[in-house]
Amino acid sequence: MRQENDLIDRYYSVIPAGGIGSRLWPLSRADAPKFLHDLSGSGQSLLRDTWDRLAPLAGDQRIMVVTGRAHRAAVEKQLPGLTDANIVLESEPRESTAAIGLAAAILERRQPGVIIGSFAADHVIGDPQHFRRVVRQALVTADAGYITTIGIMPTEPAIGFGYIHATRPLGVEGAPDACFVDSFVEKPDLETAETYLADGGYMWNAGMFISRADVLLEQIGRSRPELLAGLLELAEAWDTPRRGVVVDHVWPELEKIAIDYTVAEPSALEGKLAVVPGTFTWDDVGDFASIAKLHSGGRKSELAILGKNARILSDSSSGVVVSHSDRVISLIGVEDIIVVDTPDALLVTTSAHAQRVKAVVDALRLSGSGDVL
């Protein structure tokens, strides 16, 4: 118990709240990104759900949120327990290494030896108590010097996620389920995914990382020394009057690169990456097909309806309708349909083509139609 209390006293949750969720356009926009919406049916945003899931670990005062300057007001409104010292504002997106690395550098200066856990603001997780038990095992593993991730045990041969391969137990006392990560695997085709599911040694990569901040920063420094130098310069000025000037000078020059490439993959090659399997339900709500599945319990005959004042008439139809207008939407005899109705944009597609919504966003951007993005 003493060890667990000591770890919790040294622990900080970090919530990177960035990205617009382009596969969820036109619901998710630059000024109202995915994490600010209720997509799970909980009655509150994905961001608030994430906060409520993490707060019991170490309390409201030990959660840091990294988000864009433009989202500060909305984030603070949804998270009244978030202190000014624990909100890190990005002037522009620089990918996950910069976001998580800066949080780690700031917290390490404030509390040397701190352990951080990074969890995306826009995922849906079932059984929060089980989730926290897994996090506690990851804390023990991280304190032993490993960069630790939480892998999700797959329930289907999903092709939309990367995979983690791990079969060798780590043998860390207090973390009986922890294993060495052998390798990361990019998103597979269906046949390969079916092989992974049958094998039993593969887990979905959910992008959750738990590590001592100094270990994480050391790994960033080995793979990207210039990026680490910039993060340390920012952290040194962060709690001083020089913050604004240094951020404006340093932040735009930081390399845009995901933490998978700077930390996770190099650590796996060096035998310094561990994984704790999670058997709780998890969904990254990556597209409208995911939302349909989330709300129908996997029953393809169901029609999921989102929107407080949605006016939907349905006859022998399935899929998902998101209504943010006052129009009546009538569906007759259509299967796996996706309809997203907003005051200035309408999307109609099918679950099979949900991933292609991102291409629409790219086309709108190239055509100069940024007013609807």
Side-chain angles (χ1 to χ4, degrees):
M1 180 62 72
R2 180 186 299 177
Q3 182 192 23
E4 182 173 326
N5 290 339
D6 173 64
L7 292 178
I8 292 298
D9 288 343
R10 293 165 51 209
Y11 173 70
Y12 236 96
S13 294
V14 175
I15 305 176
I20 65 170
S22 56
R23 290 182 178 85
L24 293 173
W25 179 88
L27 177 63
S28 184
R29 309 281 185 103
D31 60 350
K34 169 184 169 186
F35 59 84
L36 294 175
H37 293 274
D38 174 13
L39 301 181
S40 68
S42 69
Q44 57 188 18
S45 72
L46 297 179
L47 172 64
R48 182 70 211 196
D49 285 343
T50 303
W51 176 279
D52 289 349
R53 192 160 54 243
L54 294 171
L57 285 166
D60 286 4
Q61 301 300 305
R62 297 183 69 83
I63 302 178
M64 176 173 278
V65 177
V66 184
T67 193
R69 287 178 179 173
H71 304 134
R72 178 172 190 162
V75 167
E76 290 182 335
K77 182 178 180 180
Q78 293 195 11
L79 305 178
L82 178 64
T83 64
D84 186 62
N86 284 337
I87 185 167
V88 174
L89 300 175
E90 301 175 311
S91 55
E92 57 183 297
R94 305 310 293 177
E95 275 283 3
S96 55
T97 300
I100 299 168
L102 178 56
I106 293 169
L107 292 171
E108 177 66 17
R109 285 188 67 86
R110 291 178 183 173
Q111 183 183 353
V114 67
I115 302 172
I116 68 165
S118 173
F119 304 95
D122 54 6
H123 293 178
V124 174
I125 291 176
D127 194 351
Q129 290 187 341
H130 178 51
F131 164 77
R132 289 189 287 270
R133 287 195 295 271
V134 172
V135 172
R136 290 187 178 98
Q137 279 201 53
L139 279 173
V140 174
T141 309
D143 191 46
Y146 294 92
I147 293 171
T148 309
T149 187
I150 294 174
I152 307 301
M153 299 306 298
T155 55
E156 61 181 345
I159 61 174
F161 307 135
Y163 284 72
I164 300 167
H165 185 237
T167 56
R168 296 177 296 147
L170 197 63
V172 171
E173 184 178 355
D177 299 323
C179 292
F180 286 101
V181 172
D182 298 322
S183 62
F184 278 87
V185 184
E186 296 295 332
K187 297 176 182 179
D189 58 29
L190 181 58
E191 184 178 355
T192 305
E194 289 173 342
T195 302
Y196 291 165
L197 184 63
D199 180 280
Y202 290 84
M203 289 165 267
W204 290 335
N205 176 17
M208 306 179 198
F209 293 99
I210 301 90
S211 173
R212 283 193 351 230
D214 60 344
V215 173
L216 182 77
L217 294 168
E218 182 182 351
Q219 181 58 63
I220 294 174
R222 283 199 294 273
S223 60
R224 292 294 192 281
E226 291 185 3
L227 179 51
L228 176 64
L231 295 174
L232 295 179
E233 185 178 353
L234 287 166
E236 183 179 2
W238 197 261
D239 292 324
T240 76
R242 298 176 52 245
R243 178 199 298 183
V245 173
V246 175
V247 168
D248 290 343
H249 173 68
V250 175
W251 185 261
E253 302 303 317
L254 296 180
E255 181 182 0
K256 283 186 177 182
I257 187 167
I259 199 166
D260 290 48
Y261 304 122
T262 58
V263 173
E265 291 183 1
S267 297
L269 291 173
E270 297 169 12
K272 297 179 179 178
L273 187 70
V275 62
V276 179
T279 56
F280 46 81
T281 58
W282 169 86
D283 199 308
D284 71 342
V285 202
D287 57 29
F288 287 110
S290 295
I291 293 177
K293 183 178 177 182
L294 194 65
H295 286 265
S296 66
R299 296 180 296 275
K300 290 190 175 183
S301 61
E302 300 278 338
L303 179 70
I305 299 173
L306 281 74
K308 290 183 179 179
N309 301 306
R311 303 168 70 189
I312 313 299
L313 299 176
S314 173
D315 181 4
S316 303
S317 298
S318 62
V320 61
V321 179
V322 182
S323 176
H324 281 203
S325 76
D326 58 1
R327 276 187 286 265
V328 173
I329 299 174
S330 180
L331 305 177
I332 302 172
V334 288
E335 296 181 356
D336 291 332
I337 192 78
I338 292 171
V339 178
V340 186
D341 187 28
T342 71
D344 62 350
L346 172 68
L347 170 73
V348 181
T349 184
T350 63
S351 295
H353 296 95
Q355 287 277 317
R356 296 172 63 183
V357 173
K358 185 179 185 298
V360 175
V361 173
D362 294 338
L364 288 168
R365 186 176 291 110
L366 289 172
S367 69
S369 301
D371 59 307
V372 294
L373 299 179

PDB file of all heavy atoms in Angstrom, residues 24-53:
ATOM      1  N   LEU A  24     -14.930  13.006 -38.783  1.00  0.00           N
ATOM      2  CA  LEU A  24     -16.234  13.282 -38.178  1.00  0.00           C
ATOM      3  C   LEU A  24     -16.803  14.626 -38.631  1.00  0.00           C
ATOM      4  O   LEU A  24     -17.687  15.178 -37.993  1.00  0.00           O
ATOM      5  CB  LEU A  24     -16.123  13.240 -36.643  1.00  0.00           C
ATOM      6  CG  LEU A  24     -15.831  11.860 -36.054  1.00  0.00           C
ATOM      7  CD1 LEU A  24     -15.573  11.958 -34.556  1.00  0.00           C
ATOM      8  CD2 LEU A  24     -16.976  10.891 -36.325  1.00  0.00           C
ATOM      9  N   TRP A  25     -16.288  15.145 -39.743  1.00  0.00           N
ATOM     10  CA  TRP A  25     -16.878  16.347 -40.346  1.00  0.00           C
ATOM     11  C   TRP A  25     -18.233  15.974 -40.953  1.00  0.00           C
ATOM     12  O   TRP A  25     -18.398  14.861 -41.440  1.00  0.00           O
ATOM     13  CB  TRP A  25     -15.939  16.871 -41.454  1.00  0.00           C
ATOM     14  CG  TRP A  25     -16.465  18.096 -42.141  1.00  0.00           C
ATOM     15  CD1 TRP A  25     -16.270  19.384 -41.767  1.00  0.00           C
ATOM     16  CD2 TRP A  25     -17.311  18.118 -43.290  1.00  0.00           C
ATOM     17  NE1 TRP A  25     -16.938  20.210 -42.631  1.00  0.00           N
ATOM     18  CE2 TRP A  25     -17.597  19.457 -43.572  1.00  0.00           C
ATOM     19  CE3 TRP A  25     -17.872  17.134 -44.129  1.00  0.00           C
ATOM     20  CZ2 TRP A  25     -18.403  19.864 -44.631  1.00  0.00           C
ATOM     21  CZ3 TRP A  25     -18.690  17.518 -45.183  1.00  0.00           C
ATOM     22  CH2 TRP A  25     -18.950  18.862 -45.433  1.00  0.00           C
ATOM     23  N   PRO A  26     -19.220  16.870 -40.921  1.00  0.00           N
ATOM     24  CA  PRO A  26     -19.193  18.267 -40.474  1.00  0.00           C
ATOM     25  C   PRO A  26     -19.570  18.481 -39.011  1.00  0.00           C
ATOM     26  O   PRO A  26     -19.773  19.612 -38.592  1.00  0.00           O
ATOM     27  CB  PRO A  26     -20.231  18.913 -41.387  1.00  0.00           C
ATOM     28  CG  PRO A  26     -21.253  17.826 -41.585  1.00  0.00           C
ATOM     29  CD  PRO A  26     -20.476  16.549 -41.636  1.00  0.00           C
ATOM     30  N   LEU A  27     -19.655  17.401 -38.231  1.00  0.00           N
ATOM     31  CA  LEU A  27     -19.933  17.575 -36.807  1.00  0.00           C
ATOM     32  C   LEU A  27     -18.731  18.172 -36.101  1.00  0.00           C
ATOM     33  O   LEU A  27     -18.840  19.149 -35.345  1.00  0.00           O
ATOM     34  CB  LEU A  27     -20.297  16.227 -36.181  1.00  0.00           C
ATOM     35  CG  LEU A  27     -20.543  16.221 -34.669  1.00  0.00           C
ATOM     36  CD1 LEU A  27     -21.736  17.092 -34.317  1.00  0.00           C
ATOM     37  CD2 LEU A  27     -20.732  14.798 -34.166  1.00  0.00           C
ATOM     38  N   SER A  28     -17.564  17.581 -36.329  1.00  0.00           N
ATOM     39  CA  SER A  28     -16.338  18.062 -35.706  1.00  0.00           C
ATOM     40  C   SER A  28     -15.689  19.112 -36.600  1.00  0.00           C
ATOM     41  O   SER A  28     -15.441  18.865 -37.782  1.00  0.00           O
ATOM     42  CB  SER A  28     -15.369  16.884 -35.491  1.00  0.00           C
ATOM     43  OG  SER A  28     -14.208  17.297 -34.819  1.00  0.00           O
ATOM     44  N   ARG A  29     -15.433  20.294 -36.041  1.00  0.00           N
ATOM     45  CA  ARG A  29     -14.856  21.410 -36.793  1.00  0.00           C
ATOM     46  C   ARG A  29     -13.637  21.949 -36.044  1.00  0.00           C
ATOM     47  O   ARG A  29     -13.399  21.615 -34.885  1.00  0.00           O
ATOM     48  CB  ARG A  29     -15.868  22.556 -36.934  1.00  0.00           C
ATOM     49  CG  ARG A  29     -17.244  22.166 -37.447  1.00  0.00           C
ATOM     50  CD  ARG A  29     -17.283  21.985 -38.941  1.00  0.00           C
ATOM     51  NE  ARG A  29     -18.628  21.736 -39.430  1.00  0.00           N
ATOM     52  CZ  ARG A  29     -19.399  22.641 -40.034  1.00  0.00           C
ATOM     53  NH1 ARG A  29     -18.963  23.875 -40.218  1.00  0.00           N
ATOM     54  NH2 ARG A  29     -20.612  22.307 -40.450  1.00  0.00           N
ATOM     55  N   ALA A  30     -12.898  22.816 -36.711  1.00  0.00           N
ATOM     56  CA  ALA A  30     -11.714  23.407 -36.082  1.00  0.00           C
ATOM     57  C   ALA A  30     -12.074  24.141 -34.800  1.00  0.00           C
ATOM     58  O   ALA A  30     -11.323  24.116 -33.823  1.00  0.00           O
ATOM     59  CB  ALA A  30     -11.028  24.346 -37.061  1.00  0.00           C
ATOM     60  N   ASP A  31     -13.231  24.816 -34.777  1.00  0.00           N
ATOM     61  CA  ASP A  31     -13.615  25.573 -33.583  1.00  0.00           C
ATOM     62  C   ASP A  31     -14.459  24.749 -32.612  1.00  0.00           C
ATOM     63  O   ASP A  31     -14.789  25.225 -31.517  1.00  0.00           O
ATOM     64  CB  ASP A  31     -14.370  26.851 -33.975  1.00  0.00           C
ATOM     65  CG  ASP A  31     -15.650  26.563 -34.760  1.00  0.00           C
ATOM     66  OD1 ASP A  31     -15.844  25.395 -35.165  1.00  0.00           O
ATOM     67  OD2 ASP A  31     -16.443  27.493 -34.967  1.00  0.00           O
ATOM     68  N   ALA A  32     -14.823  23.547 -32.990  1.00  0.00           N
ATOM     69  CA  ALA A  32     -15.589  22.657 -32.103  1.00  0.00           C
ATOM     70  C   ALA A  32     -15.172  21.224 -32.383  1.00  0.00           C
ATOM     71  O   ALA A  32     -15.934  20.438 -32.948  1.00  0.00           O
ATOM     72  CB  ALA A  32     -17.085  22.831 -32.320  1.00  0.00           C
ATOM     73  N   PRO A  33     -13.937  20.868 -32.007  1.00  0.00           N
ATOM     74  CA  PRO A  33     -13.398  19.547 -32.353  1.00  0.00           C
ATOM     75  C   PRO A  33     -14.094  18.413 -31.611  1.00  0.00           C
ATOM     76  O   PRO A  33     -14.856  18.620 -30.659  1.00  0.00           O
ATOM     77  CB  PRO A  33     -11.926  19.651 -31.963  1.00  0.00           C
ATOM     78  CG  PRO A  33     -11.872  20.729 -30.937  1.00  0.00           C
ATOM     79  CD  PRO A  33     -12.960  21.697 -31.278  1.00  0.00           C
ATOM     80  N   LYS A  34     -13.781  17.237 -32.067  1.00  0.00           N
ATOM     81  CA  LYS A  34     -14.398  15.994 -31.599  1.00  0.00           C
ATOM     82  C   LYS A  34     -14.496  15.879 -30.089  1.00  0.00           C
ATOM     83  O   LYS A  34     -15.529  15.492 -29.534  1.00  0.00           O
ATOM     84  CB  LYS A  34     -13.568  14.853 -32.189  1.00  0.00           C
ATOM     85  CG  LYS A  34     -13.801  13.464 -31.692  1.00  0.00           C
ATOM     86  CD  LYS A  34     -12.781  12.539 -32.363  1.00  0.00           C
ATOM     87  CE  LYS A  34     -12.731  11.164 -31.749  1.00  0.00           C
ATOM     88  NZ  LYS A  34     -11.655  10.335 -32.315  1.00  0.00           N
ATOM     89  N   PHE A  35     -13.423  16.241 -29.379  1.00  0.00           N
ATOM     90  CA  PHE A  35     -13.402  15.984 -27.933  1.00  0.00           C
ATOM     91  C   PHE A  35     -14.372  16.873 -27.157  1.00  0.00           C
ATOM     92  O   PHE A  35     -14.658  16.609 -25.990  1.00  0.00           O
ATOM     93  CB  PHE A  35     -11.981  16.125 -27.370  1.00  0.00           C
ATOM     94  CG  PHE A  35     -11.338  17.475 -27.571  1.00  0.00           C
ATOM     95  CD1 PHE A  35     -11.577  18.520 -26.708  1.00  0.00           C
ATOM     96  CD2 PHE A  35     -10.470  17.684 -28.638  1.00  0.00           C
ATOM     97  CE1 PHE A  35     -10.974  19.755 -26.874  1.00  0.00           C
ATOM     98  CE2 PHE A  35      -9.860  18.912 -28.825  1.00  0.00           C
ATOM     99  CZ  PHE A  35     -10.112  19.963 -27.954  1.00  0.00           C
ATOM    100  N   LEU A  36     -14.910  17.917 -27.794  1.00  0.00           N
ATOM    101  CA  LEU A  36     -15.864  18.800 -27.121  1.00  0.00           C
ATOM    102  C   LEU A  36     -17.310  18.348 -27.294  1.00  0.00           C
ATOM    103  O   LEU A  36     -18.226  18.990 -26.784  1.00  0.00           O
ATOM    104  CB  LEU A  36     -15.705  20.237 -27.626  1.00  0.00           C
ATOM    105  CG  LEU A  36     -14.378  20.921 -27.288  1.00  0.00           C
ATOM    106  CD1 LEU A  36     -14.304  22.292 -27.943  1.00  0.00           C
ATOM    107  CD2 LEU A  36     -14.179  21.040 -25.777  1.00  0.00           C
ATOM    108  N   HIS A  37     -17.521  17.245 -28.022  1.00  0.00           N
ATOM    109  CA  HIS A  37     -18.872  16.750 -28.299  1.00  0.00           C
ATOM    110  C   HIS A  37     -19.207  15.526 -27.443  1.00  0.00           C
ATOM    111  O   HIS A  37     -18.329  14.775 -27.041  1.00  0.00           O
ATOM    112  CB  HIS A  37     -19.001  16.355 -29.772  1.00  0.00           C
ATOM    113  CG  HIS A  37     -18.910  17.507 -30.715  1.00  0.00           C
ATOM    114  ND1 HIS A  37     -19.989  18.281 -31.064  1.00  0.00           N
ATOM    115  CD2 HIS A  37     -17.848  18.023 -31.386  1.00  0.00           C
ATOM    116  CE1 HIS A  37     -19.617  19.213 -31.910  1.00  0.00           C
ATOM    117  NE2 HIS A  37     -18.305  19.083 -32.121  1.00  0.00           N
ATOM    118  N   ASP A  38     -20.499  15.342 -27.207  1.00  0.00           N
ATOM    119  CA  ASP A  38     -20.996  14.104 -26.589  1.00  0.00           C
ATOM    120  C   ASP A  38     -21.260  13.114 -27.712  1.00  0.00           C
ATOM    121  O   ASP A  38     -22.265  13.205 -28.412  1.00  0.00           O
ATOM    122  CB  ASP A  38     -22.275  14.370 -25.801  1.00  0.00           C
ATOM    123  CG  ASP A  38     -22.911  13.091 -25.260  1.00  0.00           C
ATOM    124  OD1 ASP A  38     -22.233  12.039 -25.280  1.00  0.00           O
ATOM    125  OD2 ASP A  38     -24.085  13.147 -24.832  1.00  0.00           O
ATOM    126  N   LEU A  39     -20.358  12.167 -27.894  1.00  0.00           N
ATOM    127  CA  LEU A  39     -20.514  11.156 -28.931  1.00  0.00           C
ATOM    128  C   LEU A  39     -20.830   9.789 -28.353  1.00  0.00           C
ATOM    129  O   LEU A  39     -21.122   8.848 -29.095  1.00  0.00           O
ATOM    130  CB  LEU A  39     -19.239  11.071 -29.782  1.00  0.00           C
ATOM    131  CG  LEU A  39     -18.817  12.369 -30.489  1.00  0.00           C
ATOM    132  CD1 LEU A  39     -17.560  12.136 -31.320  1.00  0.00           C
ATOM    133  CD2 LEU A  39     -19.943  12.908 -31.359  1.00  0.00           C
ATOM    134  N   SER A  40     -20.753   9.682 -27.033  1.00  0.00           N
ATOM    135  CA  SER A  40     -20.970   8.387 -26.390  1.00  0.00           C
ATOM    136  C   SER A  40     -22.376   8.234 -25.836  1.00  0.00           C
ATOM    137  O   SER A  40     -22.777   7.128 -25.453  1.00  0.00           O
ATOM    138  CB  SER A  40     -19.966   8.197 -25.251  1.00  0.00           C
ATOM    139  OG  SER A  40     -20.239   9.110 -24.195  1.00  0.00           O
ATOM    140  N   GLY A  41     -23.128   9.345 -25.772  1.00  0.00           N
ATOM    141  CA  GLY A  41     -24.449   9.297 -25.160  1.00  0.00           C
ATOM    142  C   GLY A  41     -24.417   9.431 -23.653  1.00  0.00           C
ATOM    143  O   GLY A  41     -25.418   9.197 -22.980  1.00  0.00           O
ATOM    144  N   SER A  42     -23.265   9.845 -23.093  1.00  0.00           N
ATOM    145  CA  SER A  42     -23.139   9.976 -21.637  1.00  0.00           C
ATOM    146  C   SER A  42     -23.806  11.234 -21.106  1.00  0.00           C
ATOM    147  O   SER A  42     -24.005  11.376 -19.896  1.00  0.00           O
ATOM    148  CB  SER A  42     -21.651  10.003 -21.253  1.00  0.00           C
ATOM    149  OG  SER A  42     -21.043  11.212 -21.697  1.00  0.00           O
ATOM    150  N   GLY A  43     -24.119  12.174 -22.005  1.00  0.00           N
ATOM    151  CA  GLY A  43     -24.691  13.441 -21.568  1.00  0.00           C
ATOM    152  C   GLY A  43     -23.657  14.526 -21.369  1.00  0.00           C
ATOM    153  O   GLY A  43     -23.996  15.644 -20.989  1.00  0.00           O
ATOM    154  N   GLN A  44     -22.391  14.204 -21.595  1.00  0.00           N
ATOM    155  CA  GLN A  44     -21.322  15.190 -21.506  1.00  0.00           C
ATOM    156  C   GLN A  44     -20.270  14.873 -22.562  1.00  0.00           C
ATOM    157  O   GLN A  44     -20.306  13.837 -23.211  1.00  0.00           O
ATOM    158  CB  GLN A  44     -20.705  15.204 -20.107  1.00  0.00           C
ATOM    159  CG  GLN A  44     -20.165  13.865 -19.643  1.00  0.00           C
ATOM    160  CD  GLN A  44     -19.732  13.884 -18.181  1.00  0.00           C
ATOM    161  OE1 GLN A  44     -20.103  14.753 -17.408  1.00  0.00           O
ATOM    162  NE2 GLN A  44     -18.927  12.904 -17.802  1.00  0.00           N
ATOM    163  N   SER A  45     -19.329  15.792 -22.740  1.00  0.00           N
ATOM    164  CA  SER A  45     -18.358  15.638 -23.821  1.00  0.00           C
ATOM    165  C   SER A  45     -17.386  14.495 -23.554  1.00  0.00           C
ATOM    166  O   SER A  45     -17.213  14.034 -22.422  1.00  0.00           O
ATOM    167  CB  SER A  45     -17.577  16.940 -24.000  1.00  0.00           C
ATOM    168  OG  SER A  45     -16.682  17.129 -22.914  1.00  0.00           O
ATOM    169  N   LEU A  46     -16.711  14.063 -24.626  1.00  0.00           N
ATOM    170  CA  LEU A  46     -15.664  13.056 -24.483  1.00  0.00           C
ATOM    171  C   LEU A  46     -14.561  13.550 -23.565  1.00  0.00           C
ATOM    172  O   LEU A  46     -13.984  12.785 -22.783  1.00  0.00           O
ATOM    173  CB  LEU A  46     -15.080  12.696 -25.848  1.00  0.00           C
ATOM    174  CG  LEU A  46     -16.028  12.057 -26.863  1.00  0.00           C
ATOM    175  CD1 LEU A  46     -15.288  11.796 -28.180  1.00  0.00           C
ATOM    176  CD2 LEU A  46     -16.619  10.759 -26.328  1.00  0.00           C
ATOM    177  N   LEU A  47     -14.234  14.850 -23.651  1.00  0.00           N
ATOM    178  CA  LEU A  47     -13.215  15.434 -22.781  1.00  0.00           C
ATOM    179  C   LEU A  47     -13.615  15.304 -21.318  1.00  0.00           C
ATOM    180  O   LEU A  47     -12.799  14.900 -20.470  1.00  0.00           O
ATOM    181  CB  LEU A  47     -13.008  16.906 -23.142  1.00  0.00           C
ATOM    182  CG  LEU A  47     -12.100  17.718 -22.208  1.00  0.00           C
ATOM    183  CD1 LEU A  47     -10.671  17.177 -22.223  1.00  0.00           C
ATOM    184  CD2 LEU A  47     -12.115  19.198 -22.596  1.00  0.00           C
ATOM    185  N   ARG A  48     -14.860  15.641 -21.003  1.00  0.00           N
ATOM    186  CA  ARG A  48     -15.323  15.549 -19.612  1.00  0.00           C
ATOM    187  C   ARG A  48     -15.341  14.098 -19.139  1.00  0.00           C
ATOM    188  O   ARG A  48     -14.991  13.799 -17.987  1.00  0.00           O
ATOM    189  CB  ARG A  48     -16.715  16.161 -19.489  1.00  0.00           C
ATOM    190  CG  ARG A  48     -17.254  16.151 -18.061  1.00  0.00           C
ATOM    191  CD  ARG A  48     -16.502  17.114 -17.169  1.00  0.00           C
ATOM    192  NE  ARG A  48     -16.448  16.645 -15.793  1.00  0.00           N
ATOM    193  CZ  ARG A  48     -16.127  17.419 -14.762  1.00  0.00           C
ATOM    194  NH1 ARG A  48     -15.843  18.689 -14.951  1.00  0.00           N
ATOM    195  NH2 ARG A  48     -16.076  16.920 -13.550  1.00  0.00           N
ATOM    196  N   ASP A  49     -15.727  13.182 -20.022  1.00  0.00           N
ATOM    197  CA  ASP A  49     -15.683  11.757 -19.669  1.00  0.00           C
ATOM    198  C   ASP A  49     -14.254  11.334 -19.323  1.00  0.00           C
ATOM    199  O   ASP A  49     -14.033  10.564 -18.377  1.00  0.00           O
ATOM    200  CB  ASP A  49     -16.189  10.900 -20.834  1.00  0.00           C
ATOM    201  CG  ASP A  49     -17.696  10.954 -20.996  1.00  0.00           C
ATOM    202  OD1 ASP A  49     -18.395  11.377 -20.056  1.00  0.00           O
ATOM    203  OD2 ASP A  49     -18.179  10.564 -22.088  1.00  0.00           O
ATOM    204  N   THR A  50     -13.286  11.823 -20.118  1.00  0.00           N
ATOM    205  CA  THR A  50     -11.879  11.475 -19.872  1.00  0.00           C
ATOM    206  C   THR A  50     -11.431  12.010 -18.521  1.00  0.00           C
ATOM    207  O   THR A  50     -10.763  11.311 -17.744  1.00  0.00           O
ATOM    208  CB  THR A  50     -10.990  12.050 -20.991  1.00  0.00           C
ATOM    209  OG1 THR A  50     -11.446  11.549 -22.248  1.00  0.00           O
ATOM    210  CG2 THR A  50      -9.535  11.652 -20.790  1.00  0.00           C
ATOM    211  N   TRP A  51     -11.772  13.254 -18.219  1.00  0.00           N
ATOM    212  CA  TRP A  51     -11.433  13.868 -16.928  1.00  0.00           C
ATOM    213  C   TRP A  51     -12.006  13.047 -15.776  1.00  0.00           C
ATOM    214  O   TRP A  51     -11.297  12.728 -14.807  1.00  0.00           O
ATOM    215  CB  TRP A  51     -11.976  15.290 -16.899  1.00  0.00           C
ATOM    216  CG  TRP A  51     -11.782  16.020 -15.601  1.00  0.00           C
ATOM    217  CD1 TRP A  51     -12.550  15.923 -14.469  1.00  0.00           C
ATOM    218  CD2 TRP A  51     -10.750  16.959 -15.292  1.00  0.00           C
ATOM    219  NE1 TRP A  51     -12.070  16.745 -13.483  1.00  0.00           N
ATOM    220  CE2 TRP A  51     -10.965  17.396 -13.965  1.00  0.00           C
ATOM    221  CE3 TRP A  51      -9.676  17.478 -16.017  1.00  0.00           C
ATOM    222  CZ2 TRP A  51     -10.139  18.332 -13.344  1.00  0.00           C
ATOM    223  CZ3 TRP A  51      -8.859  18.414 -15.399  1.00  0.00           C
ATOM    224  CH2 TRP A  51      -9.080  18.832 -14.077  1.00  0.00           C
ATOM    225  N   ASP A  52     -13.289  12.699 -15.871  1.00  0.00           N
ATOM    226  CA  ASP A  52     -13.944  11.953 -14.796  1.00  0.00           C
ATOM    227  C   ASP A  52     -13.337  10.564 -14.610  1.00  0.00           C
ATOM    228  O   ASP A  52     -13.344  10.020 -13.505  1.00  0.00           O
ATOM    229  CB  ASP A  52     -15.443  11.821 -15.087  1.00  0.00           C
ATOM    230  CG  ASP A  52     -16.187  13.146 -14.946  1.00  0.00           C
ATOM    231  OD1 ASP A  52     -15.594  14.111 -14.421  1.00  0.00           O
ATOM    232  OD2 ASP A  52     -17.355  13.211 -15.381  1.00  0.00           O
ATOM    233  N   ARG A  53     -12.809  10.002 -15.684  1.00  0.00           N
ATOM    234  CA  ARG A  53     -12.172   8.684 -15.614  1.00  0.00           C
ATOM    235  C   ARG A  53     -10.820   8.757 -14.909  1.00  0.00           C
ATOM    236  O   ARG A  53     -10.400   7.828 -14.220  1.00  0.00           O
ATOM    237  CB  ARG A  53     -12.012   8.155 -17.039  1.00  0.00           C
ATOM    238  CG  ARG A  53     -11.630   6.720 -17.163  1.00  0.00           C
ATOM    239  CD  ARG A  53     -11.962   6.182 -18.544  1.00  0.00           C
ATOM    240  NE  ARG A  53     -11.407   6.963 -19.642  1.00  0.00           N
ATOM    241  CZ  ARG A  53     -12.135   7.597 -20.564  1.00  0.00           C
ATOM    242  NH1 ARG A  53     -13.447   7.574 -20.511  1.00  0.00           N
ATOM    243  NH2 ARG A  53     -11.547   8.264 -21.537  1.00  0.00           N
TER     244      ARG A  53
END
